[in-house]
Amino acid sequence: MADILAAETSTIEQQVDGFLSPFVTAFSNIIFFPLTIGSLSFPIVVAWLIIGALIFTIYFGFIQFRGFGVALEVVRGKYSSKDDPGEVTHFQALASALSGTVGLGNIAGVGAAIAMGGPGATFWMILAGLLGMATKFVECTLGVKYRTIDSDGIVHGGPFKYLPVAFKKFSTPVATVLTGVFAIAILLFGVAGGGMFQANQTFAQLKNVTGGDEGILGGQWAGLIVGIIIAVLVGLVIIGGIRSIGKVTDKLVPAMAILYVVSCLIVLIGNIGHIPAAFGEIISGAFSPQGVAGGFIGVMIVGFQRAAFSNEAGIGSAPIAHSAVKTRRPVSEGFVALLEPFIDTVVVCTMTALTIIIADQASYTQAQQDYQAEGVSPDGVTLVSDAFSTIAGWWPILLAIAVTLFAFSTLITWAYYGEKAWHYLFGRRKATDLVFRLILMAFIIIGCVATFGQVVNFADAALFMCAFINILGLYMLMPVVKREMKKYLADRKAGTLHELGAEDEAELHQIREEQGNL
């Protein structure tokens, strides 16, 4: 009977995979079109993100390092007032945005990265995280600066507001098309890429800890049932908007992060003598000419690509959540936002990688061999689960809980991002909002029965599609952010951050007029 059920489940997966495969392949080939120089070949979009992060880092004088202390002050509410316009506090905005980034990308994504690119991919992930802090600073400052607030207090911000301003030098049709394509890309990732990926890996871990194909979730309808449960829960939360999401994530994100980080620390402390060797593998593997993914460039690409998927710097998603913050000084949220890639990639992703490398389970070696031999996309969450099993046989159950919470928080945040894109494209009405939520739930369910390879390929393509347009807009508005930054730091030094002068009010009025004419 078990064999029959397993075969039926496999058939469903094959059907879903067969349906998705041609669309995913065509979409991925367009987004990840390679640039070839001599014997080197790498996706143009990855180079676009790397170059952008480098330019922002230099242009803003390494603000990710100079402004780290300021960021900690702001997120603690040192310069905040309860009368500031917006919907959520600095901490809630950070927690909401982190809930969209600190998730399965830090678990499954990192596992996949080091299986495909070897330990050296971790080095490039860390570097990408440090550089991405500058990119987040820029885009989230703009997300707040050009936001609008309805009479009912609902905030509308992010790229849907600042991209039209950035592109106003172009003709109106060009600016409209560029912003529209960006909105479509956010929508695709929110409902299909993000939703499917999170649901897929949640079900994979739940199935793994309950006995695999022989367990209670090994039946034909298990994926469908789990998908429906997740979809309903997500739907219930997103009805309340960013305020509801903020209330959930400001408690959920710290709790799940502590649970996950403590689990990693137990593995690392239990094998503390192996940590120096693990860092040695990471550093040597980063520059190895025989890296698992095809040498130095291959390992670097894997690291940067996985880091971008994890922290989303330059994608344009985080400014949507950050724009809802309560503040009168837009750049204050830029400082808060630069903490995201540090927490997400530099801290959490590094701990995940070290845990897998040090545990050195058979599944890790097998995943590397399978990828080298057949190009099979590794199931990253299983690698972490097996590493946690070295603590105790039942410890992967805690990972299953963490994975479920990570996935749920990411799903509700990306549902919010997707809904904002939907509003830009189709307007804000109850009837159309219902259609969006039904579509989102359908893709969450599909994610539980689709194969991981197709899900992650589609998610990557949809996410990176946003980067082309968003970073172009950031380039055009860099001087605006620099003026904001200089004035903020000067006012902080003078002790006048709580004041908003006539000059600031005039600039805000001008922004509103420009938005009304777009």
Side-chain angles (χ1 to χ4, degrees):
M1 175 62 72
D3 292 340
I4 294 174
L5 290 177
E8 290 175 342
T9 303
S10 178
T11 300
I12 293 175
E13 289 182 350
Q14 289 172 359
Q15 290 174 347
V16 174
D17 185 63
F19 175 77
L20 291 175
S21 184
F23 297 102
V24 173
T25 300
F27 189 35
S28 296
N29 288 342
I30 294 171
I31 301 303
F32 295 111
F33 186 80
L35 175 65
T36 302
I37 303 176
S39 60
L40 301 178
S41 181
F42 53 92
I44 293 176
V45 67
V46 176
W48 183 246
L49 284 167
I50 296 171
I51 293 170
L54 280 169
I55 289 174
F56 298 138
T57 295
I58 295 170
Y59 183 79
F60 291 97
F62 296 86
I63 191 62
Q64 61 265 61
F65 306 113
R66 293 193 298 121
F68 200 88
V70 179
L72 294 177
E73 291 176 353
V74 176
V75 81
R76 292 200 307 267
K78 183 175 180 179
Y79 306 112
S80 300
S81 169
K82 63 180 181 179
D83 298 325
D84 288 341
E87 296 186 78
V88 294
T89 66
H90 284 291
F91 180 77
Q92 287 178 326
L94 177 63
S96 296
L98 275 171
S99 70
T101 57
V102 177
L104 290 178
N106 305 81
I107 303 174
V110 174
I114 62 174
M116 293 186 290
T122 309
F123 176 88
W124 298 110
M125 290 182 71
I126 293 171
L127 181 58
L130 292 173
L131 292 175
M133 292 169 71
T135 307
K136 275 285 177 79
F137 171 78
V138 178
E139 60 184 348
C140 291
T141 297
L142 293 172
V144 179
K145 185 171 182 62
Y146 293 100
R147 69 183 179 179
T148 57
I149 303 177
D150 289 346
S151 57
D152 57 1
I154 302 298
V155 174
H156 304 279
F160 309 119
K161 294 298 181 181
Y162 65 71
L163 287 180
V165 177
F167 298 148
K168 68 180 181 179
K169 295 180 181 179
F170 303 148
S171 64
T172 301
V174 171
T176 302
V177 168
L178 285 173
T179 308
V181 170
F182 176 86
I184 291 171
I186 286 284
L187 184 61
L188 282 174
F189 187 82
V191 301
M196 288 172 66
F197 178 78
Q198 303 299 323
N200 178 281
Q201 288 296 276
T202 299
F203 178 66
Q205 177 61 8
L206 290 173
K207 182 177 178 180
N208 184 51
V209 300
T210 54
D213 290 335
E214 305 298 325
I216 59 174
L217 295 182
Q220 178 182 6
W221 303 106
L224 181 64
I225 294 170
V226 172
I228 291 173
I229 293 172
I230 295 172
V232 170
L233 291 174
V234 169
L236 290 173
V237 175
I238 64 173
I239 289 173
I242 190 63
R243 295 176 188 176
S244 175
I245 293 171
K247 289 178 182 177
V248 173
T249 56
D250 74 350
K251 298 176 179 63
L252 190 58
V253 170
M256 68 185 183
I258 290 170
L259 172 63
Y260 182 72
V261 168
V262 167
S263 298
C264 289
L265 283 173
I266 292 174
V267 175
L268 298 179
I269 293 172
N271 298 274
I272 194 166
H274 298 287
I275 292 179
F279 272 113
E281 288 184 50
I282 289 171
I283 295 172
S284 63
F287 301 96
S288 171
Q290 299 298 324
V292 175
F296 164 69
I297 295 297
V299 175
M300 182 175 68
I301 290 171
V302 169
F304 272 108
Q305 189 166 317
R306 287 294 96 205
F309 184 85
S310 176
N311 64 49
E312 299 167 17
I315 302 299
S317 53
I320 301 172
H322 283 283
S323 65
V325 71
K326 291 184 176 182
T327 186
R328 298 179 185 276
R329 307 296 290 263
V331 77
S332 68
E333 194 60 17
F335 282 106
V336 171
L338 65 78
L339 295 173
E340 269 185 66
F342 182 81
I343 296 170
D344 175 277
T345 306
V346 178
V347 177
V348 181
C349 286
T350 301
M351 294 188 71
T352 299
L354 286 172
T355 300
I356 295 173
I357 295 167
I358 288 175
D360 196 22
Q361 294 293 285
S363 57
Y364 171 45
T365 303
Q366 188 63 51
Q368 289 179 306
Q369 293 173 349
D370 289 345
Y371 182 74
Q372 286 180 289
E374 303 174 19
V376 177
S377 295
D379 189 351
V381 73
T382 300
L383 303 186
V384 182
S385 180
D386 289 346
F388 280 7
S389 69
T390 61
I391 303 173
W394 50 267
W395 206 273
I397 296 174
L398 292 181
L399 177 63
I401 296 172
V403 164
T404 302
L405 295 177
F406 273 133
F408 184 70
S409 66
T410 303
L411 276 167
I412 60 177
T413 300
W414 265 99
Y416 174 72
Y417 295 164
E419 191 168 59
K420 288 299 183 181
W422 183 271
H423 290 164
Y424 177 82
L425 294 167
F426 304 108
R428 184 187 171 200
R429 296 185 296 275
K430 289 184 178 180
T432 56
D433 284 357
L434 178 61
V435 172
F436 165 78
R437 288 163 187 164
L438 290 174
I439 293 173
L440 171 69
M441 292 179 184
F443 275 97
I444 289 173
I445 295 169
I446 291 172
C448 286
V449 296
T451 60
F452 178 70
Q454 292 302 333
V455 170
V456 75
N457 289 339
F458 186 91
D460 271 354
L463 190 65
F464 281 96
M465 182 178 177
C466 303
F468 283 112
I469 298 172
N470 185 57
I471 289 182
L472 178 61
L474 300 186
Y475 285 145
M476 293 182 170
L477 294 175
M478 283 195 305
V480 175
V481 178
K482 196 162 192 175
R483 287 197 302 270
E484 289 273 335
M485 180 190 74
K486 287 183 175 180
K487 190 172 190 310
Y488 185 88
L489 293 177
D491 288 349
R492 174 177 175 267
K493 187 176 182 179
T496 57
L497 276 181
H498 288 294
E499 300 174 13
L500 191 67
E503 180 183 339
D504 301 297
E505 292 285 6
E507 186 177 3
L508 285 173
H509 181 70
Q510 182 181 356
I511 288 172
R512 301 295 175 259
E513 286 188 339
E514 289 177 353
Q515 289 174 331
N517 295 328
L518 290 174

